[in-house]
Amino acid sequence: MASNAQRRDITRDRILTAAARLLRDEGPSAVTTRRVAQEAGLQPPALYRFFQGKDDLLDAVAEHVFAEHVAGKQTTAPSDDPVEDLRAGWNTQISFGLANPYVFGLLLDAARARATAPEVKGLRILAERVHRIAAAGRLRVSEERAVNLIRSAGIGTVHTLLTLPPEQSDPHLADAAFDAIARAILMDEPTVGRQDPAAVVAAFRNLLPELPTLTKPEVALLDEWLQR
């Protein structure tokens, strides 16, 4: 027999699943407590045991859908080519945004902006992929700059594709955007030459944790200098 906590989790999942379906098919305006309760087979007052109102429910739905997306990314094993893994992650993220425009909009709504657990996990996955590229000697900028450039370009690409009129649709825009970012952050060869100081710094920062003669505070201080 399920415990009270388990039954509560099951009911909450039913609510979120029903709300996610309405959000995907009809948009945020359809996600009312009455409609969601009806779809979930519950009475409207039952929803208020889990959510304060529509805004709270929408936030939870966006987090729920994005969490499923991030969980799928976590199950993907890395290949031998970190750049191709980065491209695959880019394609997955673009596809998610295009397939879930309402969730994408909610996640980027400045009035709702907050770092949810799935978003933090997603950012950590991206940072890990960028770190693998740095470890391979292919990164020409700092890891932080690379992550921020990729995030910015990804958000802008999805927004542009979602808002373009159908007759102006560009099926190759996402690939072109990634190629532009790749030229900005990647070295053509996994070697670091003195003619590219930024690449030297990026590669050296990657080696800091392995320097045996420095204490942790010294490593942190040196890393701060290198970032500057």
Side-chain angles (χ1 to χ4, degrees):
M1 180 179 295
S3 66
N4 289 338
Q6 289 173 325
R7 287 195 296 271
R8 181 179 175 84
D9 288 342
I10 292 172
T11 301
R12 188 177 190 276
D13 189 65
R14 282 171 56 193
I15 294 170
L16 290 175
T17 300
R21 185 167 55 249
L22 286 171
L23 179 63
R24 182 188 63 244
D25 296 342
E26 303 181 42
S29 62
V31 185
T32 65
T33 53
R34 185 174 297 278
R35 283 289 305 280
V36 173
Q38 180 181 357
E39 293 289 327
L42 301 168
Q43 294 297 318
L47 270 66
Y48 291 99
R49 295 202 296 268
F50 299 89
F51 309 102
Q52 296 179 1
K54 179 176 178 176
D55 285 344
D56 189 31
L57 177 58
L58 281 172
D59 287 343
V61 171
E63 182 174 349
H64 173 75
V65 175
F66 193 66
E68 291 182 338
H69 165 64
V70 171
K73 293 172 67 174
Q74 286 183 303
T75 61
T76 303
S79 72
D80 295 331
D81 189 337
V83 175
E84 283 306 308
D85 287 346
L86 182 64
R87 181 185 291 273
W90 167 274
N91 290 336
T92 299
Q93 195 72 7
I94 298 296
S95 296
F96 171 81
L98 297 180
N100 300 274
Y102 297 120
V103 172
F104 178 79
L106 288 170
L107 291 173
L108 294 181
D109 186 349
R112 302 174 181 274
R114 60 191 180 92
T116 65
E119 289 177 280
V120 171
K121 288 182 181 178
L123 182 57
R124 184 165 62 245
I125 291 172
L126 172 58
E128 288 170 353
R129 287 176 175 167
V130 169
H131 181 73
R132 289 184 62 225
I133 293 173
R138 294 287 306 276
L139 202 61
R140 69 165 66 249
V141 299
S142 71
E143 294 180 38
E144 293 84 357
R145 171 65 63 84
V147 168
N148 289 334
L149 284 172
I150 294 166
R151 291 182 68 197
S152 300
I155 291 170
T157 299
V158 172
H159 178 74
T160 300
L161 289 171
L162 288 175
T163 55
L164 277 176
E167 65 274 12
Q168 297 179 19
S169 179
D170 184 352
H172 305 295
L173 181 64
D175 289 336
F178 180 85
D179 290 340
I181 287 296
R183 288 192 295 271
I185 69 173
L186 300 179
M187 300 282 290
D188 291 334
E189 300 293 335
T191 56
V192 176
R194 294 181 60 186
Q195 70 275 15
D196 195 336
V200 174
V201 170
F204 185 55
R205 286 187 65 206
N206 184 65
L207 296 175
L208 286 180
E210 302 176 17
L211 298 179
T213 57
L214 297 180
T215 65
K216 288 184 178 180
E218 289 171 336
V219 168
L221 180 59
L222 181 54
D223 186 54
E224 179 183 345
W225 289 344
L226 289 171
Q227 288 185 66
R228 294 181 189 177

